[in-house]
């Protein structure tokens, strides 16, 4: 089974021997102080947890604030997991900006809203049968250049999205699962009876996130975010695990649904809405007792925020490549060192914050914080690394 330890240890191996990226102890300590000061501002932004997605400041006043209406809990869970499965496309940021003035994550979120409004439900069969044209339509991605009829560069992005979804649909079907919700059901067959109001969600009745993570990774190729890394000194190769999107899915399910018992009947739903306010009163399926064992969901934004805030030291040659927007190859040492060092640095940041005791976030909280930070005015134009060839982030 996948575990926090397996992910962290594989990244620590890279962080200990990387040729291009390392963690600065002084920078890390300085950033801990900054986080303590800035945390309250952040807490306000993500505490609104009944919105379908976390809404960064620049997205305010857009339709993302609207509540998506789902016919039932199964449909909502399937939409959330599918959304996280296709949180990719950072490497197309500039092409997307030029095409429709939106970045990768806004393109994905808007496309997910559009598909929902079009009545699409993310069942295994529906995903397996998706056509490239359908996907390109929802996400507003051109497949051809109008004037010449030649393939549009963004068609590759549309193909990546299509591949993620079809792969998941086929994987689920092969395992006899009708949808993502069936996987939840297979892992935690019956929602445990809710403990009395006011009881602690960390009680053993709450499920662990890791069996569900492991099962989803086994079924959906696009969740299996791992690469081989060769130690530059010993020349030994070993796998490095990041598991960005599947951990994001756990955090999203937790953020949205931990207060719900998902298979309850309509009349109970109203009760659940009331319970939901009392976050810890109704753990159901998604109040993962080990939510604080997730690592950050490492993409290209986190390494960038840590680099500009002095936590990551990046070699001048690699910094120059990043600033020149030169793409990195998926699985290249540079790409893996950036991601691995960011993941390890975040676990150290959270450990230090907890020791000092002023604020005590989970790594998932810190992830959301750093991702939202990438939208702040002073950071929006800072170049991040780009790996357009990956389907993992
Ligand atoms: N570490 C981390 N990375 C995240 C997200 C999200 C957003 N998550 C949504 C899902 C549910 C929530 O409610 C959020 O609304 C996107 N990304 C990644 O950023 C990358 C850059 O894209 P851009 O921002 O356009 O530049 C892209 O690879 C994208 O996959 C997150 O939360 N954490």
């Amino acid at each position: 089974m996948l575990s926090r330890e397996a992910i962290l240890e594989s990244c620590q191996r890279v962080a200990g021997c990387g040729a291009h990226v390392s963690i600065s102890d002084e920078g890390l300590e300085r950033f801990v102080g900054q986080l303590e000061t800035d945390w309250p501002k952040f807490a306000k932004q993500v505490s609104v947890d009944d919105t379908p997605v976390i809404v960064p400041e620049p997205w305010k006043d857009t339709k993302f604030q609207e509540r998506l209406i789902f016919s039932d809990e199964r449909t909502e869970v399937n939409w959330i997991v599918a959304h996280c499965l296709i949180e990719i496309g950072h490497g197309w940021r500039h092409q997307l900006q030029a095409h429709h003035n939106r970045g990768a994550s806004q393109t994905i979120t808007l496309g997910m809203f559009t598909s929902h409004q079009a009545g699409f439900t993310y069942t295994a069969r529906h995903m397996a049968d998706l056509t490239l044209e359908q996907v390109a339509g929802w996400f507003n991605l051109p497949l051809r250049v109008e004037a010449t009829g030649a393939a549009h560069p963004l068609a590759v992005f549309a193909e990546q999205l299509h591949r993620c979804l079809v792969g998941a649909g086929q994987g689920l079907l092969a395992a006899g699962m009708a949808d993502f919700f069936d996987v939840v059901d297979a892992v935690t067959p019956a929602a445990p009876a809710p403990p009395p109001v006011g009881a602690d969600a960390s009680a053993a009745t709450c499920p662990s996130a890791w069996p569900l993570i492991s099962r989803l990774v086994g079924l959906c190729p696009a969740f299996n975010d791992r690469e081989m890394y060769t130690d530059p000194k010993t020349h030994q190769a070993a796998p490095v695990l990041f598991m960005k999107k599947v951990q994001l899915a756990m955090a999203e399910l937790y953020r949205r649904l931990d207060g719900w018992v998902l298979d309850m009947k309509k009349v109970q739903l109203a009760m659940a809405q009331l319970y939901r306010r009392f976050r810890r009163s109704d753990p159901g399926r998604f109040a993962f007792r080990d939510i604080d064992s997730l690592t950050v969901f490492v993409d290209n934004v986190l390494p960038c925020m840590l680099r500009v805030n002095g936590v990551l030291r990046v070699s001048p040659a690699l910094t120059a490549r990043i600033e020149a927007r030169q793409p990195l190859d998926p699985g290249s040492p540079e790409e893996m060192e950036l991601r691995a060092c960011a993941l390890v640095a975040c676990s150290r940041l959270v450990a230090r914050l907890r020791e000092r005791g002023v604020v005590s976030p989970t790594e998932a909280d810190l992830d959301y914080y750093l991702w939202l930070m990438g939208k702040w005015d002073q950071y929006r134009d800072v170049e991040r690394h780009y790996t357009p060839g990956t389907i993992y982030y």
Side-chain angles (χ1 to χ4, degrees), residues 206-284:
C206 296
S208 163
W210 292 98
L212 184 53
I213 289 177
S214 304
R215 198 79 173 97
L216 286 170
V217 166
L219 295 171
C220 310
F223 272 145
N224 194 7
D225 179 6
R226 70 174 79 211
E227 304 278 2
M228 293 298 285
Y229 180 81
T230 305
D231 184 319
K233 293 189 197 88
T234 65
H235 303 290
Q236 285 197 338
V240 184
L241 317 177
F242 299 105
M243 303 300 154
K244 177 216 162 192
K245 295 184 297 179
V246 71
Q247 295 196 81
L248 178 64
M250 295 306 113
E252 283 298 292
L253 290 169
Y254 180 86
R255 189 176 71 76
R256 300 272 299 282
L257 299 166
D258 74 326
W260 292 37
V261 174
L262 283 172
D263 55 356
M264 69 185 62
K265 299 193 181 62
K266 279 265 154 51
V267 62
Q268 288 174 300
L269 190 60
M271 296 305 293
Q273 299 278 20
L274 292 174
Y275 270 143
R276 193 153 182 261
R277 256 184 1 99
F278 310 103
R279 248 182 123 71
R280 292 172 174 246
S281 64
D282 194 3

